[in-house]
Amino acid sequence: MAVGVPLTMGVGFTLALALNSGIRRLRGVLRTVFFAPVVTNVVAVALIWQYAFHSDGTVNKLLGAVGFAGPNWLDDPNLAMPVVILLGVWRNFGIAMVLFLAGLQAVPQDVYEAAAVVDGAGRWRQLRHITLPLLLPTTLMVSVLLTVFYLQVFDEPYLLTGGGPLGSTESVALYTYRQFGAGEFGMSSAASFVTLALVTVVSVVQFRLLRSRT
């Protein structure tokens, strides 16, 4: 969650900003392409990623082409989690992009024109003093949605690594599932309540921090 949420928001915001102001041609096509991972079958995607990050997979072949020896990504406890996070970012940046794009299109163009003409504000100052402050409500919504997703992440670790190696990618949701499957219903129920408590606490903190600034 600590890595996936800001990374997903950063990628989504950057693409939304590019689609809103920098890219004119094929905007609708690019918007569809960027959103496609959200609706792509996660099982098929996980199989492709398993092949890509295999010791003899596509990623290591590309690294070998430029003179680097690729590691065994999914069997290394230090590298498996970054791959799982990367898959989560790839699957969810489209949601962040669409929401940020809607927020950007709701900002009146007159504000930017006034800032450029009257104050002489460039693109960076407009982004810092106009775009980001006016996008705080959208940022709050995207942050809460992604936080809930990453705290309950299940598909990515289950399909990519099965929670391994050595439990390094076992999420709370995957742990709850394993306990339930093993007949440990009390432990599974307790883990579910812990997940609920985490989601509640983190969401309240985000609302307090961002709503006051909004």
Side-chain angles (χ1 to χ4, degrees):
M1 182 199 71
V3 177
V5 171
L7 191 57
T8 305
M9 293 180 66
V11 174
F13 177 73
T14 302
L15 292 175
L17 199 63
L19 290 174
N20 187 61
S21 58
I23 299 176
R24 299 295 181 184
R25 296 182 179 180
L26 302 177
R27 179 181 297 177
V29 175
L30 291 175
R31 191 182 307 171
T32 303
V33 171
F34 292 146
F35 191 76
V38 178
V39 295
T40 304
N41 185 280
V42 63
V43 177
V45 171
L47 290 175
I48 295 173
W49 278 61
Q50 280 182 336
Y51 171 76
F53 285 94
H54 191 266
S55 58
D56 297 325
T58 306
V59 174
N60 283 351
K61 288 180 180 178
L62 292 175
L63 291 175
V66 295
F68 293 96
N72 197 354
W73 298 90
L74 298 179
D75 290 331
D76 189 329
N78 297 318
L79 297 176
M81 181 58 79
V83 177
V84 172
I85 294 174
L86 191 62
L87 177 56
V89 172
W90 183 82
R91 284 191 63 204
N92 292 280
F93 77 85
I95 297 176
M97 180 201 69
V98 169
L99 294 175
F100 277 127
L101 186 59
L104 288 170
Q105 291 176 347
V107 178
Q109 292 300 316
D110 296 343
V111 180
Y112 293 112
E113 294 174 1
V117 174
V118 178
D119 299 325
R123 288 186 176 273
W124 169 246
R125 288 185 61 192
Q126 291 178 16
L127 175 65
R128 181 180 177 183
H129 297 290
I130 298 176
T131 304
L132 293 179
L134 292 178
L135 277 182
L136 277 178
T138 304
T139 303
L140 173 60
M141 179 175 63
V142 174
S143 177
V144 171
L145 288 175
L146 291 177
T147 297
V148 171
F149 166 78
Y150 279 103
L151 282 175
Q152 301 182 93
V153 66
F154 175 82
D155 295 338
E156 286 81 358
Y158 179 74
L159 294 171
L160 269 184
T161 62
L166 303 177
S168 59
T169 61
E170 187 172 50
S171 65
V172 179
L174 182 55
Y175 174 81
T176 304
Y177 170 79
R178 292 192 186 283
Q179 294 300 313
F180 186 85
E184 298 289 341
F185 303 120
M187 187 65 71
S188 177
S189 177
S192 300
F193 277 103
V194 169
T195 303
L196 175 63
L198 286 173
V199 171
T200 302
V201 170
V202 175
S203 299
V204 168
V205 170
Q206 289 176 322
F207 268 100
R208 287 186 177 274
L209 290 177
L210 292 178
R211 179 177 288 179
S212 59
R213 295 182 62 187
T214 302

